[in-house]
Amino acid sequence: ETENEIAYAGLATAQLDLNDDQSLRTTFFYTRLTSKSYFEDVGNLPENDVDIAAGTWWWEERQLWSGQLVGDHSFERFADLELDWGVTYANANRSKPDSRYYEYTLREDGQYAFQQSQYGNARDWENLNDDTWDVFLDGAIPVDVTDYLRTTFKVGTKYFHKDRNSEHRRFFFQYGF
């Protein structure tokens, strides 16, 4: 069995304070993982009492990046109104090109033969792409009910949208090729 992985990531953030009551901040995140694997197995499948030799090869790439912009605002002139808002976009994708699964069964003559089952011999191609939007707006205003009682009214809204596309193609080897 062999496995190789390459991974890296980055994070950046910045904040701008316009004044004591107004601030903006942004965050960017990126990560990528690439894996390559080979696995070989020789042994007995007890459920069928069959001796097999099998090999699996695959390569996978996974990536995620996101960006966010957030604002925090206080307005003393407007009854201490507070507004918080934010926008986030993220994209994730996964690619697994040309995964291979081969299986051989041990015949009575002591030779290994290509497995006739479609589950033991296949090649796969997989892709997944995911886009996400997240937007919010929150407001809060303090209200004096009496000289000794104060409460805060809060209201907010949120929009979230996710769009995901996935594709998987599998090809099998026919026996007798």
Side-chain angles (χ1 to χ4, degrees), residues 53-156:
T56 302
W57 295 265
W58 57 267
W59 174 277
E60 182 178 41
E61 299 172 355
R62 291 181 287 171
Q63 176 177 288
L64 168 67
W65 73 269
S66 69
Q68 181 182 57
L69 179 62
V70 176
D72 298 314
H73 310 280
S74 295
F75 302 97
E76 280 187 38
R77 293 185 200 169
F78 299 106
D80 290 334
L81 173 67
E82 291 184 9
L83 289 176
D84 300 323
W85 59 271
V87 177
T88 303
Y89 173 75
N91 174 267
N93 59 58
R94 177 180 175 264
S95 177
K96 202 171 179 187
D98 200 12
S99 299
R100 301 172 189 199
Y101 311 97
Y102 299 125
E103 191 173 285
Y104 301 86
T105 55
L106 185 62
R107 297 187 310 204
E108 290 181 12
D109 65 2
Q111 299 294 315
Y112 281 95
F114 203 59
Q115 173 63 269
Q116 295 181 35
S117 166
Q118 67 181 359
Y119 301 105
N121 296 292
R123 291 178 78 173
D124 288 346
W125 285 262
E126 299 177 49
N127 286 306
L128 175 95
N129 189 60
D130 193 80
D131 291 307
T132 304
W133 282 96
D134 189 2
V135 180
F136 74 90
L137 174 64
D138 295 328
I141 190 164
V143 175
D144 292 326
V145 179
T146 68
D147 289 341
Y148 303 104
L149 181 61
R150 183 174 207 174
T151 188
T152 302
F153 289 104
K154 294 183 178 185
V155 65

Side-chain angles (χ1 to χ4, degrees), residues 1-68:
E1 179 176 359
T2 63
E3 187 168 342
N4 297 328
E5 286 191 353
I6 301 169
Y8 52 93
L11 176 67
T13 186
Q15 181 164 327
L16 174 62
D17 292 325
L18 302 170
N19 56 41
D20 290 342
D21 298 326
Q22 314 290 323
S23 69
L24 297 172
R25 67 183 173 278
T26 186
T27 304
F28 293 98
F29 175 73
Y30 179 80
T31 183
R32 183 173 177 88
L33 175 65
T34 302
S35 300
K36 179 176 79 169
S37 178
Y38 172 73
F39 175 75
E40 188 175 281
D41 190 22
V42 176
N44 184 273
L45 290 177
E47 62 269 10
N48 298 341
D49 194 30
V50 175
D51 290 315
I52 65 159
T56 302
W57 295 265
W58 57 267
W59 174 277
E60 182 178 41
E61 299 172 355
R62 291 181 287 171
Q63 176 177 288
L64 168 67
W65 73 269
S66 69
Q68 181 182 57

